[in-house]
Amino acid sequence: MDAHEHTVLERLSNGLVKENPIFKLALSMCPAVAMTNTVRNGFLLGLAVLFVQVASNVTVSVFRRFIHERIRIPAYIIIIATWVSVSDMTLAAYAPGFYKEIALYVKLIVVFAIIISRLEVFASRNTVWPSFWDGMGMGLGFMFALMLVGCLREFLGAGTLWGVEILPFKPFFFWSLPPAGFFAIGLIMALFIWLERRFNAWRAKR
Amino acid sequence: MKEFLRIALNLLIISLVSAALLGLVFTRTENIRKHNEQARLETSMGRYLDPSAGPAHYARIHRYLVERPGQAAAVGYVLPVRGGGNAFLLLTPGGEVLSATPLDGPVDDEAERDATLARALPGAAVHYADSYILALDAAGHRMASFIQGRTGGFKTWVHLLVALGPDGSVKGLEVLHHEEDPGLGAEIEQEYFRNQFAGRTLDELRKLGVVRLPLPDDYRRCLERSKWAARGLDPQREEDVCARYGHEDIHAITGATISSRRVTEGVKRLVLAFVKRMEIVERTARSAGLEPAF
């Protein structure tokens, strides 16, 4: 692959739609199921993932010639773990309110499949700039998917959106429970793919 | 062999750079994090103090379990004494005085405290148990007591701060840290759950249980104090509602009975143990020749 093939827009749309981490690649489903019972949770986790993905992508693409082929997996894990710890400590010190809400999940980002898979598939074979935008696209795609699932579950489960009361009661409590995450993701995934196909068919016809 | 060296060197350098970066970030952030935690604790405590009584100063008491070679286990309290300085009061588990020694070093930080205690009690092993904070006014009268402790939640520890009035009744409950499920057990943070504890006397607390009944609507409204103004409700009427329901058992959070029960048990255990221990400390400190600063 060559750097010239990757425009900024193409990288962003790739992460958001074409290879959306949740709806198309179906990677990192555990956090997506566990964390998405509110929109805010989805947004906060998405933000943390965005940072780690971009920082790891850039680091790996800078040092890709230095990292020996045989030990690339341990090397990637060290790089991801470093950035996760950096964000963990920085958030705890400078954004304690924000950290309090996502402390539980930040440390788990180390094992998110989406991050290491982008390092392996993209950042290890591309230069810094496209890798940066690939990380941005993937991070934003992840955040977008999490927030969408969070919207559905928060509205149906708690009757609120971003903590703001929309309905004065909790319509379907089931949607707040972890198993409902699977249903929510499945439903939105189906809708997402259906819409994308419709759009592609429409574009092909034009 | 050359390949082996290259791989080893490669990984070593990556690890070293990573370690250096983490070390740097840690030294830059650790003090700020501790400071934030302290500030948060003091803000939480300040909420339960009457601002008209003037600024409060805090007396901190730390409880330790002490093991001395060849002797029975003992309980030790680090407590501030009148006129400045701190002392270490060593008691048997039954509440008999073993010794009382003045401490000659700083005790603010946990590491400082460990060092000071190691000098005061050579050869003994001390294990930190918990801390109590007393808020005193300028004349040295107790305005409120704060208990920092933890209770097992649904998953891991739930760290609580219980505020008590001078008469020993609960003024409020703060959840400092927890890892309960969002949307379920995490609701223990919400006002409508925490405020159910406010106003409970010691006798009520002893009998306090948890019921799995839906929270009555008018009670919920009076528990969610921060929303009062926004909802335009009459505070006096709400006060009456709170007083009516405020002596019943705790209403569990929907779908999180275990978290509700564990927090309730935790509050009961922490408060009752605190009252008993403070009684022993106050009684024994004077008989051991100490003049506590509270």
Side-chain angles (χ1 to χ4, degrees):
Chain A
M1 266 186 264
D2 190 355
H4 300 294
E5 290 174 25
H6 306 292
T7 63
V8 170
L9 214 65
E10 192 235 341
R11 279 295 101 204
L12 286 180
S13 74
N14 182 57
L16 274 163
V17 182
K18 243 187 0 221
E19 289 185 14
N20 186 291
I22 303 288
F23 298 140
K24 296 303 283 290
L25 303 181
L27 285 174
S28 298
M29 300 289 279
C30 302
V33 168
M35 254 305 263
T36 50
N37 47 11
T38 64
V39 188
R40 202 179 149 77
N41 275 352
F43 172 73
L44 294 178
L45 181 66
L47 214 58
V49 168
L50 179 70
F51 170 76
V52 175
Q53 180 78 74
V54 170
S56 309
N57 262 15
V58 169
T59 314
V60 167
S61 66
V62 168
F63 297 108
R64 68 187 193 282
R65 282 181 225 289
F66 170 75
I67 297 168
H68 193 281
E69 167 72 14
R70 283 273 169 194
I71 49 148
R72 65 188 194 289
I73 300 299
Y76 295 166
I77 293 288
I78 294 174
I79 290 168
I80 298 170
T82 306
W83 286 118
V84 169
S85 305
V86 165
S87 59
D88 187 68
M89 289 190 277
T90 314
L91 284 175
Y94 296 104
F98 178 78
Y99 180 72
K100 193 172 158 264
E101 291 183 51
I102 55 166
L104 207 71
Y105 306 96
V106 169
K107 296 176 184 78
L108 289 180
I109 296 176
V110 181
V111 294
F112 283 14
I114 178 65
I115 294 176
I116 196 160
S117 84
R118 287 325 285 180
L119 300 186
E120 175 83 1
V121 171
F122 196 90
S124 59
R125 298 169 193 173
N126 286 282
T127 48
V128 176
W129 200 230
S131 296
F132 173 83
W133 286 108
D134 182 71
M136 285 298 266
M138 283 294 150
L140 288 173
F142 191 75
M143 187 198 281
F144 161 71
L146 253 55
M147 286 177 74
L148 206 61
V149 179
C151 261
L152 180 77
R153 291 181 63 192
E154 186 178 352
F155 182 71
L156 290 176
T160 59
L161 277 181
W162 198 273
V164 178
E165 203 170 287
I166 309 271
L167 300 172
F169 55 92
K170 297 183 174 181
F172 303 101
F173 183 63
F174 165 72
W175 286 95
S176 290
L177 301 170
F182 285 107
F183 288 89
I185 290 177
L187 286 174
I188 299 179
M189 194 185 263
L191 181 75
F192 189 85
I193 294 171
W194 181 73
L195 280 177
E196 201 201 353
R197 286 203 182 146
R198 287 284 301 258
F199 177 75
N200 286 342
W202 171 78
R203 210 170 48 179
K205 229 185 267 174
R206 282 220 323 174
Chain B
M1 191 61 190
K2 201 172 152 245
E3 189 78 348
F4 162 79
L5 273 179
R6 255 193 70 196
I7 289 178
L9 203 65
N10 206 271
L11 211 48
L12 178 72
I13 293 172
I14 294 171
S15 308
L16 281 179
V17 172
S18 158
L21 180 66
L22 288 183
L24 185 75
V25 176
F26 180 80
T27 51
R28 287 285 165 89
T29 58
E30 186 57 8
N31 282 336
I32 306 174
R33 190 187 64 78
K34 273 190 186 158
H35 176 83
N36 285 341
E37 232 163 53
Q38 192 59 35
R40 228 182 95 219
L41 183 66
E42 276 179 23
T43 326
S44 300
M45 293 195 295
R47 246 174 260 156
Y48 299 101
L49 298 175
D50 180 11
S52 66
H57 61 274
Y58 297 107
R60 288 164 203 271
I61 301 161
H62 309 282
R63 191 169 68 93
Y64 280 86
L65 301 177
V66 182
E67 285 173 349
R68 293 160 304 158
Q71 292 177 65
V75 186
Y77 292 89
V78 174
L79 41 98
V81 288
R82 210 168 287 275
N86 293 279
F88 191 72
L89 181 64
L90 196 63
L91 304 172
T92 64
E96 308 294 322
V97 181
L98 289 170
S99 70
T101 27
L103 292 175
D104 62 347
V107 295
D108 295 333
D109 198 49
E110 198 172 335
E112 290 175 353
R113 228 163 33 231
D114 285 344
T116 307
L117 285 178
R119 255 177 296 148
L121 298 160
V126 291
H127 309 283
Y128 172 75
D130 41 27
S131 294
Y132 302 128
I133 305 173
L134 306 178
L136 310 170
D137 65 9
H141 294 298
R142 210 183 290 178
M143 297 160 78
S145 318
F146 298 94
I147 309 165
Q148 264 180 286
R150 58 181 195 179
T151 180
F154 184 60
K155 283 186 189 159
T156 63
W157 296 108
V158 176
H159 294 255
L160 301 172
L161 176 74
V162 189
L164 297 184
D167 59 347
S169 68
V170 180
K171 279 185 137 181
L173 168 69
E174 299 273 321
V175 178
L176 294 178
H177 179 76
H178 72 85
E179 296 189 4
E180 303 299 284
D181 289 318
L184 296 168
E187 300 260 312
I188 53 171
E189 274 187 339
Q190 301 285 328
E191 268 189 315
Y192 76 82
F193 180 72
R194 289 189 292 114
N195 281 345
Q196 290 187 51
F197 291 92
R200 309 274 177 177
T201 63
L202 267 182
D203 286 332
E204 281 175 356
L205 214 54
R206 281 196 185 93
K207 297 182 293 226
L208 192 63
V210 175
V211 286
R212 288 178 64 172
L213 291 173
L215 198 64
D217 253 357
D218 48 353
Y219 188 31
R220 172 187 288 266
R221 265 188 260 172
C222 97
L223 288 170
E224 291 180 332
R225 276 154 216 207
S226 64
K227 294 185 186 167
W228 269 0
R231 294 192 180 188
L233 289 162
D234 174 18
Q236 185 53 48
R237 225 203 81 216
E238 298 300 330
E239 204 73 64
D240 295 342
V241 173
C242 250
R244 195 170 75 226
Y245 291 107
H247 304 291
E248 295 177 1
D249 282 344
I250 301 290
H251 291 264
I253 291 162
T254 319
T257 319
I258 295 178
S259 303
S260 312
R261 215 171 263 157
R262 299 260 171 90
V263 171
T264 309
E265 289 304 318
V267 171
K268 281 170 75 169
R269 183 173 47 76
L270 288 173
V271 173
L272 297 176
F274 166 78
V275 171
K276 197 172 139 204
R277 285 177 192 145
M278 282 309 288
E279 212 178 295
I280 294 175
V281 167
E282 286 187 343
R283 180 164 48 79
T284 52
R286 289 203 168 74
S287 72
L290 291 177
E291 195 67 46
F294 46 85

